[in-house]
Amino acid sequence: MTDWRVYEKRGAEFYKLGDAEGAAQAYFEAARADTILRKQREHWSNYIFALHYLPQSTAQNFYDAAQVYNELYRDVEPLKLLPRKAGKIHVAYLSPSFVESSAARFYEALLTEYDREKFYVTAWDLSERADSFTVKIQRSVDGYFNISETSFEEAAQAIRDSGADILFDLGGHTVGGETLEVAAYRPARVQISGVGYFDTTGLSAIDYFLTDNFLAGSQTKFTEKILAVENAFAFTPSEKMIRARENLNWRVKNFAYGCLNNFMKITDGYLSGVKKILAKNPGAKILFRDTTPLESRKNYLLERIDSAGIELERVEVRTGANDFLSDYAEVDLILDTAPYNGGFMTALAIFMGVAVSTRAGELHHSRIGADLVRISERGALFDTKNFVAKVYDKFAEIV
């Protein structure tokens, strides 16, 4: 049998191209070839994450893959919980890293705007990386702990010993499922996933998934109980985003569409749709901007665009860059990707004042774009105070 390292390397190469099909297959083969449970979990997490990019994926596919993932924890014994301490409800947030990221824009308020009279909040960080966002979290929460140098079991023991009532997993199957490795030991009485991840984890140690009824209404195959709030998201723009919106230099130009999502989300069906849209709007163009700086992904997308029969002179393809916020001055309408919608990029476009066209699918991750538009139309997308209050009310109900 081929060594799992070969498949892992292939997965990385397909990622560099933006080839979702190839990456998913490589991660699947890596998990099958490996014999060490710890590494199998990581490969299988990568595989589950890659499934989101594939238009043929179904709710059953995700559920079945999640069930296999859970079986990989057959050797993990849950910790013995300590008696609950009287007083405030202790919510422990566990993240692959507390640094500036797309997920941070959705969970920041949960760690900075909570009711300190009723709740005690701690942050548990699995990374050594730090930036200004890390400092903000450290200063906002009641306790911050870096557990990057501990084993997953030791990290779980530390969370258990801290007296956590609720463990909130912000990672899910991102970063190889690191946070799930800790949650598997069940260090808290109640364990929740959501916000930083967008689908069932499959892990039996996760009790609830935080979402809303619009997102979860059409997909019932969650291994977790659905913990529904009015709106599953609230977006906190960074200071950089606020400045960029204030300084946008809107240009008089021909009509332009935009797609600023990860190129892995761009399917052949999406490109076919772009071709039809451009055909009906002869003077229009479209701007594609990736979320990574890889030239290989830019070149691969250009090949796919050409193969799809889209005139290259009507297309501009850019690699990811820190100054991408200025792109919004060049775009009149964002064409959201499907079936894997933009989350951060959709919310950011709305904040920057650019219209978004999106389509709701049947799966949780294919309804996020429409949900963000729905929340925005309700005037709630940037209402972090109300979002935090609703979420913590749910916390109080389930402890």
Side-chain angles (χ1 to χ4, degrees):
M1 180 181 289
T2 305
D3 191 283
W4 63 264
R5 295 175 185 82
V6 174
Y7 293 118
E8 191 175 67
K9 186 175 181 180
R10 286 179 187 173
E13 291 303 316
F14 281 122
Y15 174 81
K16 290 178 182 178
L17 284 176
D19 185 333
E21 290 271 3
Q25 186 62 36
Y27 294 138
F28 175 83
E29 296 295 348
R32 224 172 42 149
D34 209 336
T35 57
I36 301 172
L37 281 176
R38 164 69 187 91
K39 291 299 293 183
Q40 278 186 311
R41 295 168 195 156
E42 180 181 339
H43 301 318
W44 203 254
S45 271
N46 289 335
Y47 168 64
I48 290 175
F49 195 95
L51 281 179
H52 292 85
Y53 298 114
L54 308 186
Q56 67 270 30
S57 293
T58 65
Q60 192 65 50
N61 293 149
F62 282 103
Y63 187 78
D64 291 345
Q67 295 283 59
V68 172
Y69 180 76
N70 187 57
E71 178 58 24
L72 297 177
Y73 286 90
R74 56 187 177 270
D75 65 334
V76 173
E77 290 289 333
L79 298 173
K80 182 179 179 180
L81 296 179
L82 305 177
R84 185 183 184 277
K85 298 177 181 178
K88 300 177 184 179
I89 295 174
H90 179 176
V91 184
Y93 289 93
L94 175 65
S95 178
S97 63
F98 286 102
V99 295
E100 182 58 46
S101 64
S102 56
R105 296 298 99 227
F106 291 108
Y107 69 65
E108 176 182 325
L110 292 172
L111 287 91
T112 59
E113 298 182 28
Y114 60 94
D115 185 343
R116 296 169 189 273
E117 295 298 316
K118 298 179 180 179
F119 296 92
Y120 181 86
V121 169
T122 55
W124 300 79
D125 195 340
L126 281 167
S127 172
E128 293 181 338
R129 294 190 297 149
D131 59 12
S132 59
F133 182 76
T134 315
V135 175
K136 183 173 186 178
I137 295 302
Q138 290 171 339
R139 292 174 176 172
S140 299
V141 296
D142 298 297
Y144 167 87
F145 304 92
N146 188 292
I147 47 176
S148 60
E149 294 299 318
T150 67
S151 70
F152 294 130
E153 183 174 9
E154 289 170 338
Q157 289 171 343
I159 295 171
R160 186 272 310 271
D161 294 347
S162 73
D165 296 302
I166 295 175
L167 176 67
F168 199 115
D169 159 47
L170 293 169
H173 287 290
T174 64
V175 197
E178 287 184 342
T179 53
L180 297 178
E181 293 268 11
V182 177
Y185 289 95
R186 190 173 275 283
R189 288 171 180 77
V190 179
Q191 303 200 150
I192 307 171
S193 189
V195 183
Y197 186 61
F198 35 77
D199 231 314
T200 184
T201 66
L203 192 64
S204 60
I206 301 294
D207 305 300
Y208 295 95
F209 190 90
L210 184 72
T211 184
D212 60 47
N213 288 325
F214 176 86
L215 281 175
S218 65
Q219 186 176 342
T220 57
K221 290 187 176 297
F222 273 77
T223 60
E224 305 88 352
K225 295 176 184 177
I226 295 300
L227 188 64
V229 289
E230 187 176 17
N231 304 306
F233 303 106
F235 186 81
T236 305
S238 66
E239 293 181 5
K240 181 179 179 180
M241 294 167 190
I242 294 171
R243 290 195 302 269
R245 186 179 67 171
E246 293 173 348
N247 297 323
L248 274 187
N249 182 23
W250 298 98
R251 305 178 188 177
V252 177
K253 58 188 182 319
N254 292 332
F255 194 89
Y257 298 100
C259 175
L260 278 63
N261 284 347
N262 182 342
F263 284 178
M264 295 273 279
K265 296 183 178 183
I266 299 175
T267 65
D268 290 342
Y270 178 85
L271 291 177
S272 177
V274 168
K275 180 182 178 181
K276 293 175 182 177
I277 290 171
L278 291 178
K280 292 187 176 182
N281 299 274
K285 294 187 176 183
I286 183 167
L287 167 65
F288 291 94
R289 167 84 82 172
D290 195 15
T291 53
T292 80
L294 297 171
E295 287 286 339
S296 54
R297 286 166 57 124
K298 172 184 174 180
N299 295 334
Y300 183 61
L301 180 60
L302 281 168
E303 291 176 11
R304 292 180 60 206
I305 290 170
D306 190 34
S307 297
I310 300 173
E311 302 166 69
L312 291 179
E313 59 268 22
R314 302 185 65 184
V315 173
E316 183 171 356
V317 180
R318 300 174 182 173
T319 57
N322 290 332
D323 63 351
F324 79 96
L325 292 171
S326 61
D327 289 353
Y328 290 101
E330 304 176 49
V331 175
D332 298 287
L333 177 65
I334 292 290
L335 299 178
D336 194 13
T337 48
Y340 189 178
N341 299 159
F344 167 74
M345 285 300 184
T346 297
L348 179 57
I350 294 170
F351 173 74
M352 297 297 284
V354 179
V356 176
S357 175
T358 189
R359 181 180 67 188
E362 296 183 358
L363 304 182
H364 196 273
H365 68 279
S366 67
R367 298 172 68 81
I368 289 176
D371 197 35
L372 289 168
V373 171
R374 177 191 70 88
I375 295 170
S376 176
E377 289 175 345
R378 294 162 58 93
L381 185 56
F382 309 109
D383 185 1
T384 55
K385 183 177 180 180
N386 184 60
F387 169 69
V388 171
K390 296 291 186 182
V391 171
Y392 277 84
D393 283 346
K394 286 292 182 181
F395 289 169
E397 289 177 14
I398 61 178
V399 168

